[in-house]
Amino acid sequence: MTTRLYSHPIFLEHLTPPGHPERPDRLRAIARALDDEAFAHLDRVEAPEGDEATILYVHPESYVEHIRRAIPEEGIVSIDADTSVSPKSWQAALTGVGAANAAVDDVFSGKADNVFVASRPPGHHAEKTTAMGFCLFNNVAIAARHAQKKHGAGRVAIVDWDVHHGNGTQDIFWDDPSVLYCSTHQMPLYPGTGAENETGAGNIVNAPLAPQSGSEAFREAFRSRVLPAVDGFAPDLIIISAGFDAHHRDPLAEINLTEEDFDWATGQLMDRAARHCGNRLVSVLEGGYDLQGLSFSVAAHVARMMKG
Ligand SMILES: [Zn+2]
């Protein structure tokens, strides 16, 4: 497998208030974990700046301007209870969009079989017109639309294993049967959405997990809900909303997964990508707030992507 990694120093310059879990050290920990002989063949590429026009695939112009106007010249400004922006946040967010779109280009052009995007801020809580949950622009939703508009993908599957429900992605594709959205997440937990009976146009598959559940419940949800939905959908591209906050060390939730679970889930989705879409798989970082849990999990995830 040719596996590409996108990152960029600008992602470290999106600043959050002291003590905030979504912090630049997350990416530094990931970089350290991937700076190992085991990843010598990882194709490391600096993320390109994004094309603002692609943000409009999923967010209205008024929202984009709202975010742009919120960016301060100095300091950190809150735009909701737990989401904030700093002077370089616009460039970081736009580069995150650019990286996810470039990853889609790469798997369609054959430059890579699969791609991991190590970016921040994350995206899956960003709804069409609402920034929330540390997220500004919905990176995976924009990338899915980019695959459809630029590469003619008919069906895109987004699988979200972040421990929080991706309310933003669900909101954006609620009535769009060309995009399948499958999510495993703890419930009850922020943001409160993600019940099984939220099914959209039949294209939304929510598999909530009870607090204190772990590997067995997660894998069962994958086997019984997520994987059959992906197989039934036969996507042209699989995108992972790759949050690693369901790790047992994570401070924001009570699901007890290990690195081996992320390795396993990655392998399952790679099997489906091989079966349905010529291996095309793009994984975009979402949450994960314990530096060891996050970095070890990303290492397991990327190692599996490289191995096939
Ligand atoms: Zn999360």
Side-chain angles (χ1 to χ4, degrees):
M1 289 282 168
T2 303
T3 299
R4 181 168 277 194
L5 168 71
Y6 279 111
S7 196
H8 196 291
I10 192 67
F11 297 141
L12 300 174
E13 296 193 51
H14 165 63
L15 304 179
T16 51
H20 196 287
E22 203 294 284
R23 58 206 191 277
D25 279 350
R26 298 176 61 232
L27 291 188
R28 293 190 182 101
I30 289 172
R32 273 195 300 276
L34 297 181
D35 183 20
D36 184 281
E37 207 178 311
F39 300 100
H41 296 295
L42 192 55
D43 179 23
R44 297 157 199 265
V45 180
E46 188 162 277
E49 189 162 330
D51 174 0
E52 279 183 43
T54 65
I55 301 173
L56 302 177
Y57 292 161
V58 310
H59 299 289
E61 197 156 9
S62 56
Y63 172 79
V64 177
E65 289 311 310
H66 163 69
I67 298 297
R68 196 200 306 270
R69 281 197 303 271
I71 306 291
E73 287 194 12
E74 56 184 38
I76 296 170
V77 170
S78 292
I79 52 177
D80 94 330
D82 47 26
T83 311
S84 52
V85 288
S86 65
K88 296 291 177 65
S89 294
W90 176 267
Q91 204 188 337
L94 187 58
T95 307
V97 168
N101 288 341
V104 168
D105 293 340
D106 293 339
V107 298
F108 276 97
S109 72
K111 280 188 189 148
D113 293 299
N114 53 45
V115 183
F116 180 66
V117 177
S119 63
R120 54 183 291 282
H124 74 151
H125 293 304
E127 299 184 344
K128 289 174 191 158
T129 59
T130 308
M132 57 186 280
F134 321 157
C135 301
L136 301 177
F137 301 134
N138 197 310
N139 302 309
V140 296
I142 294 166
R145 279 283 183 254
H146 180 70
Q148 294 183 317
K149 288 179 184 287
K150 184 163 173 196
H151 300 285
R155 294 175 309 282
V156 180
I158 299 173
V159 176
D160 184 337
W161 66 48
D162 189 281
V163 81
H164 303 94
H165 181 242
N167 59 292
T169 314
Q170 173 169 298
D171 170 64
I172 289 163
F173 298 117
W174 180 254
D175 55 4
D176 181 350
S178 74
V179 176
L180 174 71
Y181 176 68
C182 301
S183 176
T184 56
H185 47 273
Q186 179 175 321
M187 197 167 199
L189 190 66
Y190 181 91
T193 51
E196 276 188 39
N197 64 6
E198 296 166 21
T199 57
N203 61 317
I204 308 285
V205 177
N206 285 314
L209 305 170
Q212 299 306 340
S213 54
S215 302
E216 202 173 314
F218 172 73
R219 294 189 189 203
E220 174 55 25
F222 241 69
R223 283 192 203 98
S224 66
R225 307 287 313 281
V226 174
L227 298 174
V230 171
D231 281 331
F233 189 68
D236 300 309
L237 168 69
I238 297 175
I239 300 178
I240 304 176
S241 252
F244 298 94
D245 40 10
H247 191 277
H248 66 91
R249 289 180 58 96
D250 199 274
L252 297 196
E254 295 89 36
I255 300 293
N256 298 305
L257 301 192
T258 66
E259 295 91 280
E260 287 72 29
D261 294 307
F262 294 115
D263 173 8
W264 176 84
T266 305
Q268 295 297 313
L269 292 178
M270 289 181 70
D271 285 350
R272 270 58 190 187
R275 188 179 304 171
H276 301 294
C277 48
N279 296 317
R280 287 188 291 271
L281 182 131
V282 166
S283 175
V284 181
L285 182 66
E286 301 281 2
Y289 304 102
D290 175 80
L291 297 184
Q292 182 182 315
L294 170 66
S295 58
F296 285 21
S297 297
V298 168
H301 176 53
V302 173
R304 174 56 56 194
M305 288 171 72
M306 293 172 73
K307 266 185 253 167

